[in-house]
Amino acid sequence: MNIYDVSQKAGFSIATVSRVINGNQNVSEKTKQKVLDVMKEIGYTPNVFARGLGLNTMQTIGIMCSDSSDTFLANAVYHLEQNLRKNGYDSFLCCTGYDLHTKQKYLKLLLSKRVDAIVMVGSGFLEPNKKDNAYILEAAEDMPIMLINGYLNHPRIYCTLCDDYQAVYDSVNKLIDQGRKRVLYLYNSKTYSSIQKLNGYKAALAANDIDLDENLIQMCPNTLADAHELLTSLATSGLKYNAVVTSEDLLAIGAIKFIKQAGRKIPEDCSVIGYNNSLLASCCDPELTSIDNHVETLCISTISTLMRVLSGNDVPNKTTISNDLIVRETTNF
């Protein structure tokens, strides 16, 4: 028997059961008694870990990552673990995928391990339906939750974000200043970060009195093959564009390959801008101009904030980091 069984049988969340076990006063007497009765009935004895040793911490942080094969997320995990070790903390890593039920399961697992805090890497942990984020809010009642590139306004949830909106706005605006008014925008998800980027694209068009053409906004899986297939379809339909901006570097490289195969010159005929400034940006030909979201700085800032939280200091709920455009060969700025 474990804490999940207690939660299910008592009809309360993992966080509530955990508060009862830890003697948290923010639990009604009725709820407390119900949980204790269920624990006695099923014979569950909590593993008190560090509490049983007279300590207040396990010196361990849980890290949740949707996809460790994603370049941005993998780099973030690396920098998080490096900075946690520098501060004397170990970590548990859970690669959750994007299914809501699986993300909830792994969060419960980390709660049961009695980690000191949880870091969620990437805005993929925020669901479009706000009710589906309740599991994160409940967990924040029990321990600090750190969100990288996502934003939830709630006590004990601390968010570190790139200014994705401004980065895309500025990049599209630079292209328009060069006379490139047919800017194709490719993105691969509807996460908080992706929506901010898309809004930056739309705002740049509006600021330059350019009518929004929905055909120039295309959602595409983040693979070279899918990017090639989409661009082939757009070419067949007769869609014209003289610049491409993407939400991920891999989509931009897919665009580079297609544009070159079509016999067009980069950047003379068509400019291309990617996002993340990953290793891919300097490995392709021509080298890709890309927006650097400073993943290392994001992670250092997140861990710095977390250490202050664990030390009992007041810290802001939201920290925003500006991005930089790294100009290479796919633009002629």
Side-chain angles (χ1 to χ4, degrees):
M1 294 295 178
N2 55 41
I3 194 171
Y4 305 126
D5 300 307
V6 177
S7 172
Q8 186 174 18
K9 190 169 181 62
F12 297 113
S13 69
I14 290 287
T16 298
V17 173
S18 180
R19 286 196 290 273
V20 172
I21 292 173
N22 293 325
N24 191 308
Q25 299 300 312
N26 296 323
V27 182
S28 71
E29 191 61 35
K30 182 178 178 180
T31 297
K32 176 182 176 182
Q33 194 57 53
K34 177 69 179 295
V35 171
L36 292 175
D37 288 344
V38 170
M39 289 169 57
K40 182 177 180 180
E41 178 184 345
I42 68 176
Y44 171 69
T45 302
N47 186 346
V48 292
F49 286 88
R51 184 162 53 88
L53 299 173
L55 304 174
N56 293 319
T57 174
M58 285 294 292
Q59 293 293 119
T60 303
I61 305 299
I63 300 175
M64 295 175 65
C65 167
S66 300
D67 181 1
S68 59
S69 70
D70 180 275
T71 305
F72 170 79
L73 298 179
N75 284 338
V77 169
Y78 170 80
H79 290 298
L80 287 170
E81 290 185 327
Q82 290 285 316
N83 283 278
L84 285 171
R85 278 199 292 274
K86 289 178 182 177
N87 285 278
Y89 280 79
D90 295 319
S91 58
F92 287 128
L93 173 62
C94 294
C95 297
T96 67
Y98 295 95
D99 176 70
L100 175 60
H101 176 73
T102 306
K103 289 186 285 189
Q104 292 171 332
K105 182 185 74 172
Y106 276 113
L107 182 58
K108 289 179 181 179
L109 174 64
L110 290 174
L111 287 171
S112 74
K113 298 295 184 183
R114 296 185 58 78
V115 296
D116 296 292
I118 293 173
V119 181
M120 294 181 163
V121 188
S123 59
F125 287 101
L126 300 184
E127 301 294 327
N129 186 343
K130 293 183 179 180
K131 292 182 179 179
D132 290 334
N133 294 318
Y135 77 109
I136 301 175
L137 307 184
E138 288 180 2
E141 297 296 324
D142 209 44
M143 66 181 62
I145 303 294
M146 317 300 292
L147 285 179
I148 295 181
N149 251 18
Y151 181 64
L152 277 177
N153 186 10
H154 189 80
R156 291 173 65 80
I157 295 180
Y158 305 92
C159 310
T160 311
L161 309 96
C162 298
D163 196 345
D164 295 319
Y165 172 95
Q166 192 66 44
V168 174
Y169 176 93
D170 290 343
S171 297
V172 174
N173 200 53
K174 287 173 73 71
L175 291 169
I176 294 172
D177 284 345
Q178 288 189 328
R180 301 182 186 275
K181 299 184 178 182
R182 298 285 295 174
V183 182
L184 174 64
Y185 184 73
L186 304 180
Y187 69 110
N188 69 329
S189 69
K190 294 183 179 180
T191 63
Y192 176 87
S193 176
S194 289
I195 292 171
Q196 294 302 305
K197 295 173 187 176
L198 178 57
N199 288 341
Y201 166 83
K202 292 179 178 179
L205 297 183
N208 288 276
D209 296 321
I210 298 174
D211 292 335
L212 180 65
D213 183 349
E214 294 290 349
N215 293 316
L216 289 172
I217 300 175
Q218 297 289 334
M219 190 170 182
C220 178
N222 195 33
T223 71
L224 294 177
D226 285 306
H228 188 277
E229 181 180 348
L230 172 63
L231 292 170
T232 299
S233 174
L234 295 177
T236 302
S237 71
L239 184 70
K240 303 296 183 182
Y241 52 88
N242 52 17
V244 180
V245 176
T246 70
S247 66
E248 301 284 344
D249 281 344
L250 192 59
L251 289 177
I253 292 172
I256 290 172
K257 290 172 68 70
F258 177 83
I259 293 166
K260 289 174 67 177
Q261 289 171 6
R264 302 177 71 191
K265 294 182 179 180
I266 300 173
E268 292 84 355
D269 299 329
C270 188
S271 293
V272 182
I273 298 177
Y275 205 106
N276 286 343
N277 192 36
S278 66
L279 181 62
L280 298 173
S282 56
C283 292
C284 61
D285 182 25
E287 293 188 5
L288 174 66
T289 295
S290 182
I291 296 167
D292 189 348
N293 51 10
H294 299 300
V295 60
E296 183 176 3
T297 303
L298 273 174
C299 295
I300 291 173
S301 178
T302 297
I303 300 306
S304 175
T305 299
L306 174 58
M307 293 301 111
R308 284 182 285 155
V309 169
L310 295 176
S311 298
N313 297 319
D314 289 332
V315 299
N317 167 260
K318 182 179 180 182
T319 302
T320 303
I321 295 172
S322 61
N323 302 8
D324 291 315
L325 182 67
I326 308 302
V327 177
R328 296 191 179 90
E329 298 170 347
T330 59
T331 54
N332 53 5
F333 295 137

